[in-house]
Amino acid sequence: MKTRLLLLIATFAIIPTCVMAEGCDVQTRSSSASVPAVETHSCYEYDGMPVDSINWSCSNETKDTLNATKKKVQRCDDHYQATCTARLTQESLANPHSTSKDKSAKPLNMPDNAKVTTYYYNGEHLAQAKIDCENSGGNWKAK
């Protein structure tokens, strides 16, 4: 009986440290008419990572030519047009578009099953987003 109780407590102690996925909803707009936004609404999720590992990359930051507003969400919405799924690397913790081209490489200090999935909801240039995904080692899937 004590063994079962200890096992149950240990299970609940481990569960909060890992989650199936967390998401970051991103709204992007261009600051200049001459610089089009490739994606205007996307959301990305980390899978196989500890709770709150998405916090740093999901912080709001402004770039010179593109403005992005980021909001942490429990899961990305399922009304997407396409997805890009790739192996999560240390660099992609800061930049979700940076992924490993070598699918067999094992990133240091990253779980083997860690991945990032980006959901594209609308965008004027989804063909370019597909090229960027595949050139970065990701798998593109249109809905």
Side-chain angles (χ1 to χ4, degrees):
M1 183 69 167
K2 286 184 180 182
T3 305
R4 285 186 192 172
L5 181 61
L6 288 173
L7 190 59
L8 184 64
I9 291 170
T11 301
F12 285 114
I14 292 170
I15 288 174
T17 63
C18 290
V19 294
M20 294 277 295
E22 293 179 280
C24 183
D25 192 70
V26 183
Q27 299 281 339
T28 307
R29 63 193 173 286
S30 180
S31 298
S32 168
S34 63
V35 180
V38 171
E39 61 192 64
T40 55
H41 182 204
S42 64
C43 184
Y44 60 92
E45 295 177 344
Y46 293 161
D47 191 19
M49 289 295 291
V51 173
D52 296 331
S53 58
I54 204 165
N55 287 351
W56 190 60
S57 71
C58 197
S59 64
N60 284 297
E61 51 185 70
T62 302
K63 297 192 174 15
D64 293 337
T65 56
L66 296 175
N67 292 319
T69 303
K70 300 177 182 181
K71 179 179 77 170
K72 188 173 173 186
V73 294
Q74 187 175 15
R75 298 235 2 123
C76 293
D77 289 334
D78 63 357
H79 64 276
Y80 56 88
Q81 293 180 9
T83 62
C84 177
T85 303
R87 177 183 287 275
L88 189 62
T89 64
Q90 290 172 331
E91 186 177 345
S92 57
L93 288 173
N95 175 6
H97 296 294
S98 174
T99 58
S100 176
K101 291 181 185 179
D102 184 356
K103 296 180 194 271
S104 64
K106 302 236 189 235
L108 298 174
N109 301 322
M110 298 291 285
D112 289 342
N113 63 339
K115 61 184 176 180
V116 58
T117 301
T118 303
Y119 298 84
Y120 296 92
Y121 299 105
N122 58 26
E124 299 168 14
H125 306 285
L126 283 180
Q128 183 61 49
K130 178 183 182 201
I131 291 168
D132 294 345
C133 169
E134 291 172 344
N135 286 343
S136 297
N139 295 315
W140 181 265
K141 185 176 177 185
K143 191 170 183 183

